């Protein structure tokens, strides 16, 4: 069936969609179109060390829609997961980011970690590791500077399959991180079963750390547990100096949040990097 996609992504209301297309199918078209036209693209939020140096950047997808304003990932990633094509988005965003950041690192003579979000639905879909390897080859981005962030909730579903993929990623030198740690009931079960590098302490625990004894205790306990298991920790959602200082005192290695910087476009990253220090990667090895 023929669909005239001209301008369809701009205003689905104005398009003469075939009556057989559901709203979900139209939205899927819009997203694919957003990718084809390069509207959907990565932004970057710095991950900071205890010394206010940049450890790396998290890649966060952005969709600045010409008519609808910026559509946040929480509006279209879960949809793409449900419809089974989130892998198209993840692959595209990852390749885009690896290419841009490889060029930037070469131009600046600097090295930093790049962490990409991936849906666990994607990693167990098959061929994930081969595809990622091909992306690294095409872009020249070094495997040992790449980290894959897997959200906790999605790990639980496919623990066994996820474990195999994680093993293969680590063999390539790619780090595996758990995102939003602490928000799911069975967290401890997969800490036991998966070979991970780092956990990202969910921002919801950090939010009221200065006034809640309970939240402080949870943060400290998670950080200590992580360290006992040889995992590093990124604290998410740092908005105030106080939160940074408290978590630093608890031994957390890395930090991320609006207190340092909001997610930025590549051009903004370039300006930003001219004003900050980058952590020496060699010193970590
Ligand atoms: P996430 O991976 O946990 O990313 C952190 C989210 O917190 C981002 O929201 C970021 O902009 C926001 N954030 C950062 N610092 C602060 C802060 O100090 N305070 C507050 N309140 N928020 C902060 P964003 O960019 O809207 O992304 C939402 C989620 O969408 C991400 O959560 C991630 O799960 C998902 N996502 C983003 N990009 C991708 C992608 O390329 N692929 C997949 N599969 N998922 C993605
Ligand atoms: Mg993330
Ligand atoms: Mg997160
Ligand atoms: Mg989070």
């Amino acid at each position: 069936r023929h669909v005239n996609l001209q301008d369809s992504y701009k205003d689905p209301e104005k398009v003469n969609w075939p009556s057989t297309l559901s709203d979900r199918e139209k939205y899927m078209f819009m997203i694919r179109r957003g990718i084809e036209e390069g509207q959907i693209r990565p932004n970057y939020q710095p991950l900071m060390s205890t010394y206010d140096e940049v450890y790396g950047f998290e890649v966060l997808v952005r969709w600045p829609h010409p008519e609808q304003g910026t559509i946040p990932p929480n509006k279209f990633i879960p949809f793409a997961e449900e419809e089974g094509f989130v892998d198209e988005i993840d692959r595209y965003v990852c390749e885009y980011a690896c290419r841009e950041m490889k060029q930037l690192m070469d131009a600046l003579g600097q090295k930093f970690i790049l962490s990409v979000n991936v849906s666990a639905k994607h990693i167990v879909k098959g061929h994930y590791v081969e595809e990622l390897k091909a992306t690294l080859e095409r872009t020249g981005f070094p495997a040992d500077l790449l980290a894959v962030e897997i959200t906790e909730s999605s790990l639980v579903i496919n623990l066994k399959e996820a474990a195999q993929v994680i093993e293969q990623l680590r063999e390539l030198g790619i780090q595996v991180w758990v995102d939003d740690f602490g928000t799911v009931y069975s967290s401890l079960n997969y800490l036991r079963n998966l070979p991970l590098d780092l956990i990202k302490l969910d921002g919801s625990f950090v939010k009221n750390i200065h006034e809640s004894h309970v939240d402080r205790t949870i943060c400290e306990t998670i950080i200590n547990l992580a360290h006992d298991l040889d995992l590093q920790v990124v604290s998410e959602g740092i908005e105030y100096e106080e939160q940074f200082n408290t978590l630093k005192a608890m031994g957390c290695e890395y930090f991320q949040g609006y207190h340092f910087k909001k997610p930025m476009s590549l051009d903004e990253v370039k300006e930003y990097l001219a004003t900050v220090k980058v952590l020496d990667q060699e010193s970590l090895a």
Side-chain angles (χ1 to χ4, degrees), residues 66-227:
E67 252 95 273
Q68 297 182 15
T70 296
I71 305 176
N74 289 338
K75 280 264 166 69
F76 63 96
I77 293 287
F79 170 81
E81 280 179 355
E82 280 167 35
E83 292 294 326
F85 72 107
V86 72
D87 56 312
E88 290 174 35
I89 301 175
D90 286 349
R91 250 198 313 276
Y92 161 82
V93 169
C94 178
E95 177 136 356
Y96 204 126
C98 284
R99 180 163 291 121
E100 298 198 312
M101 288 312 230
K102 165 71 174 149
Q103 279 171 6
L104 184 61
M105 288 194 305
D106 287 352
L108 299 174
Q110 286 176 331
K111 283 183 181 177
F112 34 78
I113 296 287
L114 196 61
S115 72
V116 295
N117 289 284
V118 68
S119 161
K121 288 236 170 85
H122 178 181
I123 71 163
V124 297
K125 206 171 164 178
H127 310 297
Y128 176 66
V129 179
E130 294 101 282
E131 282 163 7
L132 196 53
K133 214 173 145 189
T135 297
L136 293 176
E137 277 159 16
R138 276 195 296 274
T139 59
F141 194 90
D144 61 352
L145 294 179
L146 190 70
V148 171
E149 294 190 12
I150 306 174
T151 25
E152 188 178 37
S153 52
S154 43
L155 271 175
V156 181
I157 313 165
N158 301 299
L159 199 60
K160 251 200 182 133
E161 282 171 283
Q164 287 176 348
V165 175
I166 290 170
E167 202 74 67
Q168 291 171 328
L169 290 172
R170 290 178 41 123
E171 272 165 28
L172 293 174
I174 297 168
Q175 292 191 46
V176 181
W177 299 0
V178 178
D179 211 347
D180 307 325
F181 186 85
T183 55
V184 169
Y185 177 62
S186 54
S187 308
L188 300 179
N189 185 37
Y190 59 73
L191 279 195
R192 229 166 104 221
N193 287 295
L194 300 175
L196 304 160
D197 295 288
L198 179 150
I199 61 172
K200 296 187 78 174
L201 177 60
D202 193 67
S204 59
F205 298 112
V206 171
K207 201 164 190 260
N208 301 313
I209 199 169
H210 46 290
E211 55 201 31
S212 161
H213 173 69
V214 172
D215 289 0
R216 240 185 345 265
T217 306
I218 290 174
C219 288
E220 192 157 28
T221 305
I222 291 178
I223 291 167
N224 289 336
L225 172 69
H227 290 167

Side-chain angles (χ1 to χ4, degrees), residues 9-54:
Y9 65 91
K10 287 187 182 146
D11 192 351
E13 302 306 314
K14 285 193 192 131
V15 179
N16 227 350
W17 298 98
S19 55
T20 47
L21 282 191
S22 66
D23 284 349
R24 297 184 77 86
E25 285 172 309
K26 289 177 197 168
Y27 195 38
M28 194 144 91
F29 270 122
M30 280 175 58
I31 295 172
R32 289 199 163 123
R33 186 71 176 216
I35 288 176
E36 271 167 37
E37 307 230 324
Q39 273 173 18
I40 294 179
R41 46 172 63 231
N43 265 17
Y44 305 94
Q45 188 179 30
L47 307 166
M48 311 301 297
S49 79
T50 40
Y51 300 104
D52 277 326
E53 293 178 340
V54 174

